Amino acid sequence: YGARTAEGEVQALPSDDDELVAAFRRSGATAVFDATVWMARMRGDGSFEIGVAHGPPDARDIRLASARALIVATGAIPRPFPVPGGMLRGVITAADAAALLREARYESNRRTVLAGSGLLLWEVAPEYLKARVALEALAVTTPRAQRWRALSRAWRVIGSPDFLRGLALEQHVRHRVRVIRNVTSIVARGADRVETLELETARGIEVLRVETLVLHQGLVPEMNFGSAIGCAYRWNDPQACFEPVVDAWGGSTLAGR
């Protein structure tokens, strides 16, 4: 419920989370930070044995914990987004870009292009602008037809805080950054480091000079841990990713998980 500081203390979260943190502390549960679950198995009596490594990299501790039930909440990871030239130096993910900004390790004078789709890309753009990074463009790969399909269902969410926040975010970025929509092909070129970017749309191919290319194509469920312990996954065709098979209560195909 917070990140550790250099002194080992836990940083306080924003006030909106105070009630949640207080409820967690009252629950009697133990928070283990910087943890890696390296093993989980079901015993003969139906309980679980969980192996956890935790602590700083140079002093990891190992513990075995027992539990009557196991909640797997591994979150999401960036969707793979392979493009020609994607292995050149200077091509990074949106998550990496955000981390570099937080750690103040980004050179603001680099020509930067954001490319792909997904909310995270639009959220990174204002942070770059705030850091006075030279954003050349935001290239959006979301197909026009997909946007029209989404608009046909917009009545369900219009007026919700999330929808209005997203709309305000897009307007904020569009007024400050050149947005290139309906991009169908992205090619990064350079000898060792990305130097130019080829963007193809219905109008043709446009070449941009670039020193950093930030790629993002949305998020997909992280499935390594769930698969390793035997949870079933299935293909979600509309989302183009695998998702866990769960019941109405979020229970997996394994009893107790």
Side-chain angles (χ1 to χ4, degrees):
Y1 46 86
R4 290 193 180 277
T5 64
E7 293 76 23
E9 299 296 326
V10 177
Q11 288 180 323
L13 290 175
S15 58
D16 290 347
D17 295 323
D18 288 348
E19 184 177 346
L20 180 63
V21 172
F24 176 83
R25 288 173 172 163
R26 290 193 301 268
S27 72
T30 300
V32 181
F33 297 94
D34 306 316
T36 300
V37 178
W38 51 269
M39 182 273 293
R41 67 181 183 88
M42 181 180 287
R43 299 191 179 110
D45 61 358
S47 65
F48 294 93
E49 183 178 43
I50 308 161
V52 180
H54 63 97
D58 56 346
R60 300 288 276 177
D61 288 331
I62 303 294
R63 71 164 66 176
L64 292 176
S66 297
R68 295 191 302 272
L70 179 61
I71 299 175
V72 179
T74 51
I77 59 175
R79 183 189 300 275
F81 189 15
V83 301
M87 298 302 293
L88 291 171
R89 290 193 305 121
V91 181
I92 60 177
T93 68
D96 290 336
L100 289 174
L101 283 178
R102 287 194 299 268
E103 297 168 8
R105 293 194 291 116
Y106 194 89
E107 299 179 29
S108 61
N109 60 341
R110 290 189 177 277
R111 294 175 177 267
T112 301
V113 172
L114 311 179
S117 65
L119 179 61
L120 182 57
L121 208 61
W122 291 88
E123 291 179 332
V124 166
E127 296 300 319
Y128 269 46
L129 294 172
K130 184 178 179 180
R132 298 186 178 181
V133 174
L135 282 182
E136 298 296 309
L138 193 163
V140 181
T141 58
T142 305
R144 188 191 305 273
Q146 184 172 325
R147 294 208 307 275
W148 280 112
R149 285 196 299 269
L151 284 175
S152 68
R153 302 182 180 92
W155 62 271
R156 301 177 183 176
V157 295
I158 288 177
S160 70
D162 287 342
F163 179 83
L164 296 176
R165 184 179 73 88
L167 189 62
L169 176 65
E170 181 172 338
Q171 292 298 319
H172 174 79
V173 174
R174 287 179 58 191
H175 289 156
R176 293 162 178 81
V177 181
R178 182 190 175 201
V179 177
I180 306 173
R181 295 192 179 275
N182 305 313
V183 175
T184 58
S185 175
I186 297 174
V187 179
R189 299 193 185 279
D192 176 49
R193 184 181 185 90
V194 60
E195 299 172 359
T196 61
L197 182 65
E198 296 179 4
L199 302 175
E200 183 174 358
T201 66
R203 300 177 181 177
I205 296 177
E206 180 175 355
V207 180
L208 302 177
R209 289 183 57 197
V210 62
E211 294 170 284
T212 299
L213 172 61
V214 179
L215 295 174
H216 182 69
Q217 195 79 332
L219 302 170
V220 295
E222 200 286 325
M223 56 182 290
N224 290 338
F225 185 73
S227 297
I229 61 177
C231 295
Y233 284 76
R234 63 187 170 202
W235 180 254
N236 183 321
D237 200 52
Q239 296 294 327
C241 67
F242 284 96
E243 63 180 9
V245 178
V246 297
D247 59 24
W249 297 95
S252 76
T253 51
L254 298 181
R257 294 185 174 108

